[in-house]
Amino acid sequence: MDKILVATTNKGKLKEFRQLLSPLGIQVLSLEDMKQKIDVEEDRETFLENALKKAKTYGDFYKIPVIAEDAGLEVEALDGYPGVYSARFYGIDFGGKEPVKEDKDKANIDKLLRLLKGKKNRKARFVSVVVFYKPEDFGIWTEGYCYGYITEQPRGDRGFGYDPVFIPEGYSKTMAELQPEEKNKISHRGKAVKKLLKKLEKLYSTENPDLQGLDRTGQQI
Ligand code: ITT
């Protein structure tokens, strides 16, 4: 394997994936590098199904190994919302729609803070489900979680999405106030990618031929 496609349209995510995948030492392509464009709708009800759909559709179309992720924020006091709707929470039929004034991230945050106003329980977790798919060969998936709570006001300008309103457990800074390396160490995405790299290492290890096939769940994709 000499290159891999990270199938995301989210620039913040892509930057983090590039850093997290650097131990692989292979070329990381993004959807912007692909001449022919295709659109994949994330219309499933779980992170895993959405990530599988993206990995399989892009992998079969471009015929190169793909990493796709579906991620989101689950808030305890909102019964797990925004969950799989995290990217477009501002516009869904839950707790009223939020107008997009500046950007979508800001509209999502405004809605979240509005719905949590006055609520004591601010527990939340980020979820990342990452799928690696090698067309016509195999697929594997991993997941990662980052637990924390939602602030009253946004703070920080690093990261993306809900980072300015999420404080990881044991920290006093928001995710958007952490250095990128710090975020990658504790983030849902960082944890899922680390597990993925371990699995890939085992699968591709010529010293462990017996392990080959153990995680080959491609037939389920
Ligand atoms: P792709 O599907 O093209 O990868 P996307 O932004 O639509 O890009 P998701 O469907 O996985 O990605 O949606 C994830 C949303 O959840 C994302 O837009 C953010 O609002 C939020 N999110 C995910 N990971 C996050 C992180 O590390 N920090 C802050 N917010 C995050």
Side-chain angles (χ1 to χ4, degrees), residues 86-90 104-112 162:
S86 292
R88 52 194 164 94
F89 189 43
Y90 65 91
K104 288 178 183 174
D105 283 350
K106 167 120 186 8
N108 283 332
I109 286 177
D110 286 349
K111 176 161 173 177
L112 180 66
Y162 298 89

Side-chain angles (χ1 to χ4, degrees), residues 90-127:
Y90 65 91
I92 67 160
D93 192 12
F94 176 91
K97 294 184 183 177
E98 198 71 27
V100 183
K101 290 173 213 134
E102 289 157 45
D103 57 47
K104 288 178 183 174
D105 283 350
K106 167 120 186 8
N108 283 332
I109 286 177
D110 286 349
K111 176 161 173 177
L112 180 66
L113 294 182
R114 174 167 60 74
L115 294 180
L116 287 182
K117 205 168 178 149
K119 290 223 186 329
K120 282 215 175 92
N121 179 4
R122 308 195 64 101
K123 283 189 199 160
R125 67 176 188 184
F126 274 124
V127 184

